[in-house]
Amino acid sequence: MDQIIVTGNGQLSGQIPIAGAKNACLTLMPATLLSEEPLTLTNAPRLSDIRTMTTLLQSLGAEVQALQDGQVLAMSSHDLTSTRADYDIVRKMRASILVLGPLLARFGHAEVSLPGGCAIGARPVDLHLKAFEAMGAELDLRDGYVHAKAPAGGLKGGIVDFPFVSVGATENALMAATLAKGTTVLRNAAREPEIVDLAQCLRKMGAQIDGEGTSEITIQGVDRLGGATHRVVTDRIELGTYMLAPAICGGEVECLGGKIELLAAFCEKLDAAGISVEETLTGLKVARKNGRVSAVDVTTEPFPGFPTDLQAQMMALLCTAEGTSVLEEKIFENRFMHAPELIRMGAKIDVHGGTATVQGVDRLRGAPVMATDLRASVSLILAGLAAEGETIVSRVYHLDRGYEHVVRKLESVGAKIERVKEQ
Ligand code: EPZ
């Protein structure tokens, strides 16, 4: 397994291009299953999760061609051969469950392996299933699979009241509802930019959707959907991650393609911590205002709140802030696994349940550390950028799921970082 070696060596400066959003692409790709016509995605990120979704769609008989070095995904589900998503693929990536809604809506049945949990939590799919039941589907959970069956005439429009916000369940229900007979209303729907991006793509395919980006989305089902070409929205989590590099190291970096509207709550916290964010014609320019970063409290919430996917990275910044910060993780039950690794680097962090209290220290010290999940792995790299000496991050395969060319992007703004085979 590869390792990434980071050496703290001073300020950063330059530009980092931000890729298309992994979490938008992972819901846009299954949308191809809704139509016989071709769906082409541009600005697609080059990530292992995208390759996993490609393999899953191909296992169903869909055509997926990665063009222009993987930045364009040309897909067609004209000749599907299966409506069964096997465990051996689904277990690799939870987002695989997002093929269930489209298959059920277009073919009236589907068998999809339950995704199982992951490092950050149990991550059930009960809200996804509740939505399909509200559209008339019968769901049978057996031998580790969801066996879903639509009524004889197909899914029917219905009211879906989500007891709490779920990004994936909103996406699955939104896709299924586009072909249901009648009107579907999703209440307490997720408002993430990735949901808005999906709705815009489905509308290009002929779907009738109103209210995306608000907590109530109304969908008028249609008989069939056509094809489309759609540009994947900028990845706000990659954006926020790289905005933290100059915040932690000092200097000034422009994140190309960034917009404040994707990360308003996060930018407010950066401002409170003493980091300046300026929207330019080409992206977001980030610099530390003066001296040391100030401690701030953070609570993760569904969009438009502070994103849970940036909690680990923000903790890396706050480890060397002046004062004590309290981070509350309200979305997942086990998302502080980066804390023990940061403590190995000299951080002072106290974790009790969903709350982490971080007492700022002057400087972290490089150490061998281990990546445990996608966002934790990049928080260790951020911490290593400003630590004294060398940080060796192992199990970096987690990184490849969500960050393309992380070494190249950080090297380009002056970071001392390299990827090596495990010694
Ligand atoms: C999406 O996961 C993202 N993944 C996650 O990003 C992100 O952290 C999460 O949304 C929250 O923003 C993709 O988009 C592929 P949820 P998702 O359904 O849809 C519970 C990353 O690092 N829940 O909004 O799975 C769930 O356990 C990943 O890129 C149920 O209980 O998240 C969690 O505690 C990590 N039952 C909470 O709700 C359900 O049926 C929010 O989950 C569904 C979810």
Side-chain angles (χ1 to χ4, degrees):
M1 281 185 274
D2 290 0
Q3 292 177 319
I4 286 183
I5 302 174
V6 196
T7 306
N9 75 323
Q11 303 205 346
L12 304 178
S13 70
Q15 296 180 321
I16 295 179
I18 303 301
K22 164 179 88 81
N23 290 348
C25 203
L26 288 175
T27 189
L28 289 164
M29 291 175 76
T32 185
L33 300 170
L34 288 164
S35 165
E36 294 183 356
E37 310 294 325
L39 174 60
T40 300
L41 300 178
T42 62
N43 193 40
R46 280 69 59 90
L47 303 168
S48 59
D49 271 8
I50 304 306
R51 292 191 287 276
T52 303
M53 183 59 82
T54 296
T55 304
L56 174 58
L57 292 175
Q58 289 171 339
S59 76
L60 301 172
E63 269 176 61
V64 182
Q65 275 189 303
L67 309 171
Q68 291 177 33
D69 185 30
Q71 281 202 299
V72 171
L73 297 172
M75 303 179 289
S76 164
S77 299
H78 187 271
D79 307 314
L80 280 204
T81 54
S82 164
T83 58
R84 178 183 170 90
D86 278 340
Y87 175 64
D88 62 333
I89 301 177
V90 174
R91 69 183 168 81
K92 291 193 192 109
M93 185 182 62
R94 284 183 40 73
S96 307
I97 193 73
L98 295 172
V99 303
L100 181 51
L103 289 171
L104 184 57
R106 181 162 159 221
F107 299 101
H109 61 89
E111 298 74 41
V112 176
S113 166
L114 283 165
C118 74
I120 63 178
R123 304 187 70 184
V125 292
D126 51 319
L127 269 65
H128 299 239
L129 307 184
K130 170 187 166 67
F132 300 137
E133 282 172 339
M135 295 182 213
E138 279 173 33
L139 299 158
D140 180 15
L141 298 192
R142 63 175 191 278
D143 55 37
Y145 281 73
V146 179
H147 296 261
K149 197 169 169 356
L155 291 178
K156 300 191 304 291
I159 305 289
V160 183
D161 263 314
F162 288 118
F164 51 86
V165 171
S166 162
V167 171
T170 301
E171 291 163 344
N172 235 336
L174 174 56
M175 288 191 281
T178 59
L179 294 177
K181 301 259 181 312
T183 303
T184 300
V185 180
L186 307 183
R187 292 199 181 119
N188 204 12
R191 301 172 52 192
E192 273 69 3
E194 294 76 35
I195 308 273
V196 173
D197 204 41
L198 173 63
Q200 289 171 347
C201 177
L202 292 169
R203 194 174 289 119
K204 286 179 193 170
M205 296 166 72
Q208 291 179 21
I209 301 168
D210 284 304
E212 71 275 10
T214 74
S215 51
E216 180 159 307
I217 305 175
T218 304
I219 306 102
Q220 186 61 41
V222 294
D223 292 338
R224 61 187 298 283
L225 291 178
T229 295
H230 181 76
R231 186 180 190 282
V232 179
V233 68
T234 301
D235 191 322
R236 63 194 168 95
I237 306 303
E238 189 193 25
L239 171 62
T241 301
Y242 288 120
M243 289 170 73
L244 284 166
I248 288 177
C249 296
E252 181 179 84
V253 170
E254 183 179 16
C255 296
L256 300 176
K259 292 199 174 320
I260 286 187
E261 73 194 37
L262 291 169
L263 279 174
F266 174 74
C267 291
E268 279 164 27
K269 285 297 173 186
L270 286 189
D271 181 57
I275 307 299
S276 75
V277 178
E278 178 203 340
E279 196 155 71
T280 67
L281 288 175
T282 45
L284 294 182
K285 202 174 271 187
V286 183
R288 203 190 290 179
K289 286 177 196 160
N290 46 31
R292 213 166 151 193
V293 166
S294 308
V296 292
D297 294 342
V298 171
T299 300
T300 63
E301 295 172 306
F303 194 89
F306 189 100
T308 174
D309 293 348
L310 283 171
Q311 175 260 108
Q313 301 90 314
M314 191 68 179
M315 187 185 285
L317 172 70
L318 297 173
C319 285
T320 54
E322 190 148 17
T324 299
S325 308
V326 176
L327 292 98
E328 286 199 279
E329 173 52 60
K330 295 277 191 190
I331 306 291
F332 290 106
E333 63 265 35
N334 183 31
R335 206 171 195 179
F336 286 136
M337 287 170 296
H338 41 287
E341 302 304 311
L342 291 168
I343 290 168
R344 288 174 50 75
M345 298 174 71
K348 286 191 179 145
I349 308 169
D350 223 8
V351 174
H352 285 288
T355 302
T357 304
V358 181
Q359 190 186 332
V361 297
D362 286 347
R363 195 165 185 208
L364 297 179
R365 291 183 312 281
V369 290
M370 190 172 75
T372 50
D373 62 87
L374 167 58
R375 306 303 175 182
S377 51
V378 80
S379 81
L380 300 174
I381 288 178
L382 289 172
L385 288 176
E388 197 175 318
E390 198 173 72
T391 298
I392 302 172
V393 185
S394 59
R395 299 193 178 178
V396 293
Y397 57 83
H398 288 292
L399 259 177
D400 298 335
R401 297 192 54 174
Y403 291 92
E404 60 173 49
H405 310 314
V406 64
V407 170
R408 189 195 307 171
K409 290 189 176 184
L410 285 172
E411 247 178 354
S412 73
V413 292
K416 206 158 177 299
I417 180 170
E418 60 175 327
R419 185 167 181 146
V420 297
K421 288 289 169 220
E422 183 132 19
Q423 283 140 3

